[in-house]
């Protein structure tokens, strides 16, 4: 299972750090990705990290502001979000997929999904 937490309400320009705790899943050549869905919009990929290489990718709108990282000892993946903007407001989900050896945010490759955590950025 995947459990995402750390969301909340923050002012524009502020920061939040999301965590995705992975339990009960052990597989090689995996990737963890963060997705988000804003009201009335389609879900979009935000960032991804690949276990075998620590390669990462980001959607263009968050480059330079968000950082995805992992702590294998804690089975946890993080999404550090800085310089938040109102347009970052969404429910954020983490997802795991295997086998994935190249960073990707193609949803169909991700087999396991967490429950989502709300991020609200006020202007």
């Amino acid at each position: 299972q995947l459990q995402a937490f750390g969301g909340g309400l923050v002012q524009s320009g502020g920061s939040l750090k999301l965590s995705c705790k992975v339990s009960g899943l052990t597989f090689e050549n995996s990737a963890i990705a963060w997705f988000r869905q804003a009201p009335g919009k389609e879900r979009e990929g935000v960032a991804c990290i690949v276990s075998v290489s620590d390669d990462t990718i980001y959607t263009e709108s968050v480059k330079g502001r968000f950082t995805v990282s992992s702590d294998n000892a804690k089975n946890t993946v993080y999404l550090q979000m800085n310089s938040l903007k109102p347009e970052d407001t969404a429910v954020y989900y983490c997802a795991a997929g295997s086998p994935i050896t190249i960073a990707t945010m193609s949803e169909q490759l991700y087999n396991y999904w967490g429950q989502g955590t709300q991020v609200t950025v006020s202007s």
Side-chain angles (χ1 to χ4, degrees):
Q1 298 87 2
L2 288 81
Q3 184 179 11
F5 54 93
L9 173 64
V10 64
Q11 289 188 335
S12 181
S15 298
L16 281 175
K17 187 174 185 178
L18 304 183
S19 299
C20 178
K21 176 72 174 178
V22 182
S23 59
L25 300 172
T26 54
F27 40 78
E28 298 180 349
N29 300 327
S30 64
I32 302 290
W34 289 95
F35 295 84
R36 67 185 179 185
Q37 188 166 22
K41 295 187 177 181
E42 293 187 355
R43 188 162 58 192
E44 65 169 343
V46 176
C48 164
I49 185 166
V50 179
S51 64
V52 68
S53 63
D54 281 340
D55 280 350
T56 59
I57 58 170
Y58 299 89
T59 193
E60 192 64 33
S61 63
V62 308
K63 286 181 180 178
R65 301 189 296 123
F66 291 12
T67 302
V68 61
S69 62
S70 64
D71 185 335
N72 293 334
K74 296 182 178 179
N75 291 329
T76 301
V77 172
Y78 304 99
L79 184 67
Q80 177 68 48
M81 306 186 294
N82 299 328
S83 302
L84 282 162
K85 304 175 181 180
E87 50 263 43
D88 294 317
T89 294
V91 177
Y92 284 70
Y93 302 87
C94 59
S98 178
I100 299 176
T101 56
I102 298 175
T104 178
M105 291 184 287
S106 296
E107 286 193 32
Q108 61 268 29
L109 298 179
Y110 289 89
N111 319 90
Y112 303 94
W113 291 77
Q115 83 286 5
T117 184
Q118 176 71 47
V119 172
T120 303
V121 185
S122 62
S123 58

